[in-house]
mmCIF file of all heavy atoms in Angstrom:
data_model
loop_
_atom_site.group_PDB
_atom_site.id
_atom_site.type_symbol
_atom_site.label_atom_id
_atom_site.label_comp_id
_atom_site.label_asym_id
_atom_site.label_seq_id
_atom_site.Cartn_x
_atom_site.Cartn_y
_atom_site.Cartn_z
ATOM 1 N N ALA A 1 -33.589 80.619 -65.965
ATOM 2 C CA ALA A 1 -34.342 80.964 -64.769
ATOM 3 C C ALA A 1 -35.217 79.760 -64.337
ATOM 4 O O ALA A 1 -35.332 79.537 -63.114
ATOM 5 C CB ALA A 1 -35.235 82.142 -65.058
ATOM 6 N N PHE A 2 -35.753 79.046 -65.242
ATOM 7 C CA PHE A 2 -36.594 77.906 -64.860
ATOM 8 C C PHE A 2 -35.779 76.822 -64.141
ATOM 9 O O PHE A 2 -36.179 76.268 -63.136
ATOM 10 C CB PHE A 2 -37.273 77.289 -66.080
ATOM 11 C CG PHE A 2 -38.296 76.218 -65.738
ATOM 12 C CD1 PHE A 2 -39.512 76.598 -65.153
ATOM 13 C CD2 PHE A 2 -38.079 74.930 -66.030
ATOM 14 C CE1 PHE A 2 -40.447 75.661 -64.843
ATOM 15 C CE2 PHE A 2 -39.036 73.932 -65.691
ATOM 16 C CZ PHE A 2 -40.207 74.344 -65.132
ATOM 17 N N HIS A 3 -34.552 76.603 -64.572
ATOM 18 C CA HIS A 3 -33.651 75.611 -63.944
ATOM 19 C C HIS A 3 -33.158 76.070 -62.589
ATOM 20 O O HIS A 3 -33.251 75.395 -61.606
ATOM 21 C CB HIS A 3 -32.446 75.301 -64.853
ATOM 22 C CG HIS A 3 -31.422 74.427 -64.224
ATOM 23 N ND1 HIS A 3 -30.476 74.906 -63.371
ATOM 24 C CD2 HIS A 3 -31.267 73.083 -64.223
ATOM 25 C CE1 HIS A 3 -29.702 73.918 -62.923
ATOM 26 N NE2 HIS A 3 -30.143 72.838 -63.454
ATOM 27 N N ASP A 4 -32.719 77.334 -62.538
ATOM 28 C CA ASP A 4 -32.067 77.882 -61.370
ATOM 29 C C ASP A 4 -33.040 78.351 -60.274
ATOM 30 O O ASP A 4 -32.827 78.129 -59.113
ATOM 31 C CB ASP A 4 -31.085 79.017 -61.724
ATOM 32 C CG ASP A 4 -29.756 78.472 -62.168
ATOM 33 O OD1 ASP A 4 -29.688 77.380 -62.770
ATOM 34 O OD2 ASP A 4 -28.763 79.172 -62.000
ATOM 35 N N ASP A 5 -34.067 79.035 -60.696
ATOM 36 C CA ASP A 5 -34.902 79.727 -59.731
ATOM 37 C C ASP A 5 -36.346 79.195 -59.560
ATOM 38 O O ASP A 5 -36.995 79.539 -58.598
ATOM 39 C CB ASP A 5 -34.999 81.248 -60.147
ATOM 40 C CG ASP A 5 -33.659 81.906 -60.108
ATOM 41 O OD1 ASP A 5 -33.166 82.289 -59.023
ATOM 42 O OD2 ASP A 5 -33.061 82.012 -61.225
ATOM 43 N N PHE A 6 -36.728 78.333 -60.499
ATOM 44 C CA PHE A 6 -38.110 77.798 -60.357
ATOM 45 C C PHE A 6 -38.099 76.230 -60.194
ATOM 46 O O PHE A 6 -39.104 75.622 -60.216
ATOM 47 C CB PHE A 6 -38.916 78.140 -61.612
ATOM 48 C CG PHE A 6 -39.273 79.600 -61.716
ATOM 49 C CD1 PHE A 6 -38.347 80.484 -62.251
ATOM 50 C CD2 PHE A 6 -40.493 80.089 -61.265
ATOM 51 C CE1 PHE A 6 -38.672 81.850 -62.351
ATOM 52 C CE2 PHE A 6 -40.815 81.416 -61.409
ATOM 53 C CZ PHE A 6 -39.890 82.323 -61.882
ATOM 54 N N SER A 7 -36.910 75.679 -60.054
ATOM 55 C CA SER A 7 -36.791 74.226 -59.944
ATOM 56 C C SER A 7 -37.377 73.767 -58.601
ATOM 57 O O SER A 7 -37.375 74.479 -57.577
ATOM 58 C CB SER A 7 -35.332 73.763 -60.073
ATOM 59 O OG SER A 7 -34.571 74.326 -59.028
ATOM 60 N N GLU A 8 -37.747 72.523 -58.576
ATOM 61 C CA GLU A 8 -38.266 71.880 -57.301
ATOM 62 C C GLU A 8 -37.226 71.916 -56.229
ATOM 63 O O GLU A 8 -37.495 72.140 -55.092
ATOM 64 C CB GLU A 8 -38.762 70.470 -57.594
ATOM 65 C CG GLU A 8 -39.296 69.760 -56.385
ATOM 66 C CD GLU A 8 -39.634 68.338 -56.667
ATOM 67 O OE1 GLU A 8 -39.531 67.879 -57.829
ATOM 68 O OE2 GLU A 8 -40.042 67.610 -55.674
ATOM 69 N N HIS A 9 -36.011 71.580 -56.637
ATOM 70 C CA HIS A 9 -34.938 71.475 -55.642
ATOM 71 C C HIS A 9 -33.972 72.662 -55.856
ATOM 72 O O HIS A 9 -33.518 72.958 -56.997
ATOM 73 C CB HIS A 9 -34.144 70.178 -55.793
ATOM 74 C CG HIS A 9 -35.008 68.999 -55.659
ATOM 75 N ND1 HIS A 9 -35.394 68.534 -54.424
ATOM 76 C CD2 HIS A 9 -35.531 68.110 -56.591
ATOM 77 C CE1 HIS A 9 -36.164 67.440 -54.592
ATOM 78 N NE2 HIS A 9 -36.252 67.189 -55.833
ATOM 79 N N ASN A 10 -33.662 73.359 -54.824
ATOM 80 C CA ASN A 10 -32.718 74.469 -54.850
ATOM 81 C C ASN A 10 -32.140 74.611 -53.484
ATOM 82 O O ASN A 10 -32.780 75.153 -52.560
ATOM 83 C CB ASN A 10 -33.399 75.776 -55.293
ATOM 84 C CG ASN A 10 -32.459 76.913 -55.578
ATOM 85 O OD1 ASN A 10 -31.702 77.247 -54.652
ATOM 86 N ND2 ASN A 10 -32.534 77.517 -56.733
ATOM 87 N N SER A 11 -30.933 74.076 -53.295
ATOM 88 C CA SER A 11 -30.326 73.979 -51.973
ATOM 89 C C SER A 11 -28.968 74.558 -51.941
ATOM 90 O O SER A 11 -27.948 73.817 -52.083
ATOM 91 C CB SER A 11 -30.349 72.572 -51.435
ATOM 92 O OG SER A 11 -29.788 71.688 -52.413
ATOM 93 N N PRO A 12 -28.810 75.886 -51.729
ATOM 94 C CA PRO A 12 -27.457 76.452 -51.583
ATOM 95 C C PRO A 12 -26.749 75.996 -50.330
ATOM 96 O O PRO A 12 -27.379 75.441 -49.377
ATOM 97 C CB PRO A 12 -27.756 77.964 -51.493
ATOM 98 C CG PRO A 12 -29.116 78.153 -51.969
ATOM 99 C CD PRO A 12 -29.862 76.865 -51.642
ATOM 100 N N VAL A 13 -25.440 76.115 -50.274
ATOM 101 C CA VAL A 13 -24.631 75.728 -49.118
ATOM 102 C C VAL A 13 -23.589 76.792 -48.886
ATOM 103 O O VAL A 13 -23.264 77.578 -49.772
ATOM 104 C CB VAL A 13 -23.933 74.390 -49.334
ATOM 105 C CG1 VAL A 13 -24.877 73.238 -49.428
ATOM 106 C CG2 VAL A 13 -23.020 74.429 -50.574
ATOM 107 N N TYR A 14 -23.099 76.855 -47.646
ATOM 108 C CA TYR A 14 -21.903 77.640 -47.368
ATOM 109 C C TYR A 14 -20.720 76.845 -47.927
ATOM 110 O O TYR A 14 -20.696 75.584 -47.847
ATOM 111 C CB TYR A 14 -21.744 77.939 -45.875
ATOM 112 C CG TYR A 14 -22.676 79.002 -45.394
ATOM 113 C CD1 TYR A 14 -23.881 78.686 -44.691
ATOM 114 C CD2 TYR A 14 -22.397 80.354 -45.626
ATOM 115 C CE1 TYR A 14 -24.697 79.649 -44.224
ATOM 116 C CE2 TYR A 14 -23.267 81.372 -45.169
ATOM 117 C CZ TYR A 14 -24.398 80.991 -44.476
ATOM 118 O OH TYR A 14 -25.231 81.980 -44.031
ATOM 119 N N PHE A 15 -19.699 77.554 -48.409
ATOM 120 C CA PHE A 15 -18.571 76.887 -48.993
ATOM 121 C C PHE A 15 -17.926 75.899 -48.036
ATOM 122 O O PHE A 15 -17.573 74.776 -48.405
ATOM 123 C CB PHE A 15 -17.545 77.913 -49.441
ATOM 124 C CG PHE A 15 -16.237 77.351 -49.922
ATOM 125 C CD1 PHE A 15 -16.215 76.605 -51.131
ATOM 126 C CD2 PHE A 15 -15.099 77.491 -49.151
ATOM 127 C CE1 PHE A 15 -14.982 76.075 -51.522
ATOM 128 C CE2 PHE A 15 -13.934 76.879 -49.558
ATOM 129 C CZ PHE A 15 -13.855 76.180 -50.766
ATOM 130 N N GLY A 16 -17.764 76.372 -46.793
ATOM 131 C CA GLY A 16 -17.148 75.464 -45.755
ATOM 132 C C GLY A 16 -17.936 74.125 -45.590
ATOM 133 O O GLY A 16 -17.329 73.107 -45.424
ATOM 134 N N GLU A 17 -19.265 74.238 -45.692
ATOM 135 C CA GLU A 17 -20.096 73.034 -45.547
ATOM 136 C C GLU A 17 -19.859 72.113 -46.790
ATOM 137 O O GLU A 17 -19.812 70.852 -46.646
ATOM 138 C CB GLU A 17 -21.547 73.439 -45.494
ATOM 139 C CG GLU A 17 -21.912 74.212 -44.236
ATOM 140 C CD GLU A 17 -23.373 74.661 -44.215
ATOM 141 O OE1 GLU A 17 -23.972 74.782 -45.343
ATOM 142 O OE2 GLU A 17 -23.843 75.009 -43.183
ATOM 143 N N MET A 18 -19.768 72.739 -47.974
ATOM 144 C CA MET A 18 -19.506 71.948 -49.165
ATOM 145 C C MET A 18 -18.197 71.190 -49.097
ATOM 146 O O MET A 18 -18.104 69.977 -49.380
ATOM 147 C CB MET A 18 -19.495 72.900 -50.386
ATOM 148 C CG MET A 18 -19.267 72.202 -51.729
ATOM 149 S SD MET A 18 -20.683 71.150 -52.105
ATOM 150 C CE MET A 18 -20.192 70.551 -53.733
ATOM 151 N N VAL A 19 -17.131 71.846 -48.605
ATOM 152 C CA VAL A 19 -15.864 71.175 -48.506
ATOM 153 C C VAL A 19 -15.891 70.079 -47.495
ATOM 154 O O VAL A 19 -15.328 68.959 -47.704
ATOM 155 C CB VAL A 19 -14.723 72.210 -48.147
ATOM 156 C CG1 VAL A 19 -13.451 71.474 -47.869
ATOM 157 C CG2 VAL A 19 -14.560 73.214 -49.286
ATOM 158 N N GLU A 20 -16.580 70.276 -46.387
ATOM 159 C CA GLU A 20 -16.742 69.176 -45.355
ATOM 160 C C GLU A 20 -17.408 67.972 -46.003
ATOM 161 O O GLU A 20 -16.965 66.831 -45.765
ATOM 162 C CB GLU A 20 -17.570 69.697 -44.198
ATOM 163 C CG GLU A 20 -16.814 70.621 -43.270
ATOM 164 C CD GLU A 20 -17.754 71.066 -42.108
ATOM 165 O OE1 GLU A 20 -18.801 70.441 -41.907
ATOM 166 O OE2 GLU A 20 -17.365 72.006 -41.376
ATOM 167 N N ASN A 21 -18.447 68.189 -46.756
ATOM 168 C CA ASN A 21 -19.183 67.051 -47.400
ATOM 169 C C ASN A 21 -18.277 66.381 -48.422
ATOM 170 O O ASN A 21 -18.265 65.131 -48.515
ATOM 171 C CB ASN A 21 -20.452 67.583 -48.028
ATOM 172 C CG ASN A 21 -21.446 66.501 -48.313
ATOM 173 O OD1 ASN A 21 -21.325 65.398 -47.828
ATOM 174 N ND2 ASN A 21 -22.473 66.832 -49.117
ATOM 175 N N VAL A 22 -17.590 67.157 -49.204
ATOM 176 C CA VAL A 22 -16.638 66.610 -50.200
ATOM 177 C C VAL A 22 -15.578 65.748 -49.530
ATOM 178 O O VAL A 22 -15.236 64.664 -49.984
ATOM 179 C CB VAL A 22 -16.052 67.712 -51.062
ATOM 180 C CG1 VAL A 22 -14.838 67.245 -51.813
ATOM 181 C CG2 VAL A 22 -17.084 68.289 -51.995
ATOM 182 N N ARG A 23 -15.026 66.231 -48.446
ATOM 183 C CA ARG A 23 -13.991 65.514 -47.740
ATOM 184 C C ARG A 23 -14.504 64.178 -47.159
ATOM 185 O O ARG A 23 -13.775 63.213 -47.056
ATOM 186 C CB ARG A 23 -13.336 66.395 -46.625
ATOM 187 C CG ARG A 23 -12.455 67.462 -47.234
ATOM 188 C CD ARG A 23 -11.976 68.418 -46.189
ATOM 189 N NE ARG A 23 -10.943 69.324 -46.734
ATOM 190 C CZ ARG A 23 -10.446 70.381 -46.101
ATOM 191 N NH1 ARG A 23 -10.869 70.689 -44.884
ATOM 192 N NH2 ARG A 23 -9.526 71.134 -46.674
ATOM 193 N N GLU A 24 -15.740 64.168 -46.769
ATOM 194 C CA GLU A 24 -16.319 62.910 -46.303
ATOM 195 C C GLU A 24 -16.365 61.875 -47.360
ATOM 196 O O GLU A 24 -16.465 60.623 -47.031
ATOM 197 C CB GLU A 24 -17.745 63.158 -45.708
ATOM 198 C CG GLU A 24 -17.749 63.949 -44.421
ATOM 199 C CD GLU A 24 -19.178 64.250 -43.964
ATOM 200 O OE1 GLU A 24 -20.128 63.905 -44.702
ATOM 201 O OE2 GLU A 24 -19.336 64.918 -42.882
ATOM 202 N N HIS A 25 -16.304 62.274 -48.602
ATOM 203 C CA HIS A 25 -16.329 61.335 -49.726
ATOM 204 C C HIS A 25 -14.899 61.063 -50.293
ATOM 205 O O HIS A 25 -14.770 60.621 -51.430
ATOM 206 C CB HIS A 25 -17.239 61.852 -50.812
ATOM 207 C CG HIS A 25 -18.672 61.731 -50.463
ATOM 208 N ND1 HIS A 25 -19.365 62.635 -49.676
ATOM 209 C CD2 HIS A 25 -19.621 60.786 -50.767
ATOM 210 C CE1 HIS A 25 -20.600 62.253 -49.534
ATOM 211 N NE2 HIS A 25 -20.817 61.144 -50.190
ATOM 212 N N GLY A 26 -13.886 61.423 -49.555
ATOM 213 C CA GLY A 26 -12.528 61.120 -50.013
ATOM 214 C C GLY A 26 -11.989 62.109 -51.075
ATOM 215 O O GLY A 26 -10.962 61.752 -51.740
ATOM 216 N N LEU A 27 -12.590 63.274 -51.187
ATOM 217 C CA LEU A 27 -12.076 64.275 -52.120
ATOM 218 C C LEU A 27 -11.692 65.522 -51.337
ATOM 219 O O LEU A 27 -11.886 65.601 -50.163
ATOM 220 C CB LEU A 27 -13.213 64.631 -53.105
ATOM 221 C CG LEU A 27 -13.788 63.472 -53.905
ATOM 222 C CD1 LEU A 27 -15.019 63.950 -54.688
ATOM 223 C CD2 LEU A 27 -12.745 62.995 -54.932
ATOM 224 N N ASP A 28 -11.062 66.492 -52.094
ATOM 225 C CA ASP A 28 -10.693 67.728 -51.392
ATOM 226 C C ASP A 28 -10.772 68.832 -52.373
ATOM 227 O O ASP A 28 -10.664 68.682 -53.643
ATOM 228 C CB ASP A 28 -9.288 67.606 -50.843
ATOM 229 C CG ASP A 28 -9.026 68.608 -49.691
ATOM 230 O OD1 ASP A 28 -9.893 69.441 -49.422
ATOM 231 O OD2 ASP A 28 -7.967 68.517 -49.059
ATOM 232 N N PHE A 29 -10.880 70.045 -51.887
ATOM 233 C CA PHE A 29 -10.928 71.233 -52.650
ATOM 234 C C PHE A 29 -9.527 71.585 -53.203
ATOM 235 O O PHE A 29 -8.591 71.713 -52.406
ATOM 236 C CB PHE A 29 -11.511 72.419 -51.833
ATOM 237 C CG PHE A 29 -11.420 73.779 -52.547
ATOM 238 C CD1 PHE A 29 -12.260 74.053 -53.532
ATOM 239 C CD2 PHE A 29 -10.531 74.739 -52.099
ATOM 240 C CE1 PHE A 29 -12.254 75.274 -54.186
ATOM 241 C CE2 PHE A 29 -10.493 75.959 -52.713
ATOM 242 C CZ PHE A 29 -11.390 76.238 -53.779
ATOM 243 N N LEU A 30 -9.423 71.788 -54.501
ATOM 244 C CA LEU A 30 -8.116 72.143 -55.102
ATOM 245 C C LEU A 30 -8.110 73.653 -55.347
ATOM 246 O O LEU A 30 -7.234 74.390 -54.889
ATOM 247 C CB LEU A 30 -7.955 71.435 -56.459
ATOM 248 C CG LEU A 30 -6.676 71.838 -57.205
ATOM 249 C CD1 LEU A 30 -5.429 71.411 -56.395
ATOM 250 C CD2 LEU A 30 -6.674 71.215 -58.607
ATOM 251 N N ALA A 31 -9.107 74.202 -56.080
ATOM 252 C CA ALA A 31 -9.142 75.614 -56.428
ATOM 253 C C ALA A 31 -10.502 75.949 -57.010
ATOM 254 O O ALA A 31 -11.231 75.070 -57.479
ATOM 255 C CB ALA A 31 -7.988 75.954 -57.411
ATOM 256 N N GLU A 32 -10.728 77.255 -57.062
ATOM 257 C CA GLU A 32 -11.917 77.659 -57.854
ATOM 258 C C GLU A 32 -11.498 77.684 -59.331
ATOM 259 O O GLU A 32 -10.353 77.966 -59.674
ATOM 260 C CB GLU A 32 -12.277 79.070 -57.407
ATOM 261 C CG GLU A 32 -13.794 79.402 -57.733
ATOM 262 C CD GLU A 32 -14.796 78.564 -56.989
ATOM 263 O OE1 GLU A 32 -14.396 77.744 -56.146
ATOM 264 O OE2 GLU A 32 -15.963 78.741 -57.231
ATOM 265 N N ALA A 33 -12.408 77.313 -60.195
ATOM 266 C CA ALA A 33 -12.104 77.252 -61.641
ATOM 267 C C ALA A 33 -12.249 78.602 -62.283
ATOM 268 O O ALA A 33 -12.822 78.785 -63.382
ATOM 269 C CB ALA A 33 -13.124 76.256 -62.316
ATOM 270 N N LEU A 34 -11.688 79.618 -61.646
ATOM 271 C CA LEU A 34 -11.675 81.005 -62.133
ATOM 272 C C LEU A 34 -10.332 81.628 -61.898
ATOM 273 O O LEU A 34 -9.793 81.506 -60.773
ATOM 274 C CB LEU A 34 -12.789 81.818 -61.386
ATOM 275 C CG LEU A 34 -14.224 81.425 -61.550
ATOM 276 C CD1 LEU A 34 -15.096 82.199 -60.560
ATOM 277 C CD2 LEU A 34 -14.687 81.611 -62.949
ATOM 278 N N PHE A 35 -9.800 82.289 -62.855
ATOM 279 C CA PHE A 35 -8.551 82.968 -62.661
ATOM 280 C C PHE A 35 -8.663 84.100 -61.707
ATOM 281 O O PHE A 35 -7.641 84.532 -61.118
ATOM 282 C CB PHE A 35 -7.979 83.439 -64.036
ATOM 283 C CG PHE A 35 -7.488 82.334 -64.910
ATOM 284 C CD1 PHE A 35 -8.294 81.914 -65.979
ATOM 285 C CD2 PHE A 35 -6.312 81.736 -64.687
ATOM 286 C CE1 PHE A 35 -7.840 80.884 -66.807
ATOM 287 C CE2 PHE A 35 -5.827 80.672 -65.482
ATOM 288 C CZ PHE A 35 -6.613 80.280 -66.549
ATOM 289 N N LEU A 36 -9.894 84.635 -61.565
ATOM 290 C CA LEU A 36 -10.099 85.744 -60.621
ATOM 291 C C LEU A 36 -9.635 85.372 -59.206
ATOM 292 O O LEU A 36 -9.158 86.243 -58.455
ATOM 293 C CB LEU A 36 -11.604 86.039 -60.580
ATOM 294 C CG LEU A 36 -12.083 87.188 -59.617
ATOM 295 C CD1 LEU A 36 -11.495 88.468 -60.029
ATOM 296 C CD2 LEU A 36 -13.577 87.199 -59.536
ATOM 297 N N ASN A 37 -9.733 84.133 -58.816
ATOM 298 C CA ASN A 37 -9.334 83.760 -57.475
ATOM 299 C C ASN A 37 -7.843 83.765 -57.228
ATOM 300 O O ASN A 37 -7.392 83.677 -56.066
ATOM 301 C CB ASN A 37 -9.906 82.345 -57.149
ATOM 302 C CG ASN A 37 -11.322 82.434 -56.727
ATOM 303 O OD1 ASN A 37 -12.147 83.018 -57.445
ATOM 304 N ND2 ASN A 37 -11.708 81.906 -55.568
ATOM 305 N N PHE A 38 -7.040 83.835 -58.301
ATOM 306 C CA PHE A 38 -5.582 83.933 -58.061
ATOM 307 C C PHE A 38 -5.164 85.390 -57.838
ATOM 308 O O PHE A 38 -4.089 85.642 -57.240
ATOM 309 C CB PHE A 38 -4.860 83.348 -59.297
ATOM 310 C CG PHE A 38 -4.993 81.871 -59.401
ATOM 311 C CD1 PHE A 38 -5.946 81.275 -60.234
ATOM 312 C CD2 PHE A 38 -4.274 81.022 -58.623
ATOM 313 C CE1 PHE A 38 -6.120 79.910 -60.363
ATOM 314 C CE2 PHE A 38 -4.376 79.615 -58.726
ATOM 315 C CZ PHE A 38 -5.320 79.070 -59.576
ATOM 316 N N ASP A 39 -5.857 86.308 -58.435
ATOM 317 C CA ASP A 39 -5.434 87.740 -58.322
ATOM 318 C C ASP A 39 -6.665 88.623 -58.517
ATOM 319 O O ASP A 39 -6.989 89.056 -59.626
ATOM 320 C CB ASP A 39 -4.398 88.057 -59.401
ATOM 321 C CG ASP A 39 -3.758 89.440 -59.209
ATOM 322 O OD1 ASP A 39 -4.243 90.147 -58.269
ATOM 323 O OD2 ASP A 39 -2.866 89.792 -59.934
ATOM 324 N N ASP A 40 -7.371 88.826 -57.451
ATOM 325 C CA ASP A 40 -8.544 89.706 -57.489
ATOM 326 C C ASP A 40 -8.179 91.153 -57.283
ATOM 327 O O ASP A 40 -7.910 91.585 -56.209
ATOM 328 C CB ASP A 40 -9.523 89.254 -56.399
ATOM 329 C CG ASP A 40 -10.913 89.947 -56.549
ATOM 330 O OD1 ASP A 40 -10.952 90.913 -57.316
ATOM 331 O OD2 ASP A 40 -11.875 89.424 -55.963
ATOM 332 N N GLY A 41 -8.084 91.833 -58.413
ATOM 333 C CA GLY A 41 -7.660 93.255 -58.398
ATOM 334 C C GLY A 41 -8.609 94.194 -57.682
ATOM 335 O O GLY A 41 -8.305 95.308 -57.416
ATOM 336 N N ARG A 42 -9.809 93.667 -57.315
ATOM 337 C CA ARG A 42 -10.784 94.491 -56.607
ATOM 338 C C ARG A 42 -10.487 94.623 -55.150
ATOM 339 O O ARG A 42 -11.030 95.483 -54.477
ATOM 340 C CB ARG A 42 -12.181 93.875 -56.756
ATOM 341 C CG ARG A 42 -12.680 93.753 -58.193
ATOM 342 C CD ARG A 42 -13.930 92.966 -58.309
ATOM 343 N NE ARG A 42 -13.796 91.629 -57.781
ATOM 344 C CZ ARG A 42 -14.786 90.732 -57.704
ATOM 345 N NH1 ARG A 42 -15.985 91.038 -58.099
ATOM 346 N NH2 ARG A 42 -14.577 89.510 -57.191
ATOM 347 N N LEU A 43 -9.632 93.707 -54.627
ATOM 348 C CA LEU A 43 -9.311 93.705 -53.202
ATOM 349 C C LEU A 43 -7.985 94.461 -52.917
ATOM 350 O O LEU A 43 -6.987 94.162 -53.514
ATOM 351 C CB LEU A 43 -9.199 92.288 -52.691
ATOM 352 C CG LEU A 43 -10.417 91.410 -52.823
ATOM 353 C CD1 LEU A 43 -10.159 89.992 -52.299
ATOM 354 C CD2 LEU A 43 -11.686 92.008 -52.199
ATOM 355 N N SER A 44 -8.054 95.355 -52.007
ATOM 356 C CA SER A 44 -6.827 96.111 -51.653
ATOM 357 C C SER A 44 -5.893 95.232 -50.842
ATOM 358 O O SER A 44 -6.363 94.170 -50.298
ATOM 359 C CB SER A 44 -7.192 97.362 -50.833
ATOM 360 O OG SER A 44 -7.766 96.979 -49.544
#
């Protein structure tokens, strides 16, 4: 909690903004590091 919620710096982003910033540095989004993103059984 001290690191995540009480830290001096805490700056969330929208995912699309993150990818834009990453692409400006010559990188690109490959995948989320979670198997859930390949087959989310919660979604109809």
Side-chain angles (χ1 to χ4, degrees):
F2 189 70
H3 173 276
D4 277 29
D5 298 279
F6 292 83
S7 61
E8 177 185 359
H9 302 284
N10 188 304
S11 52
V13 293
Y14 284 101
F15 173 71
E17 295 173 342
M18 182 67 177
V19 173
E20 285 181 12
N21 199 11
V22 164
R23 286 174 172 172
E24 289 176 359
H25 287 82
L27 302 170
D28 203 353
F29 173 71
L30 177 66
E32 202 66 4
L34 298 171
F35 288 102
L36 177 66
N37 279 52
F38 291 99
D39 188 356
D40 190 344
R42 300 171 301 178
L43 301 181
S44 67

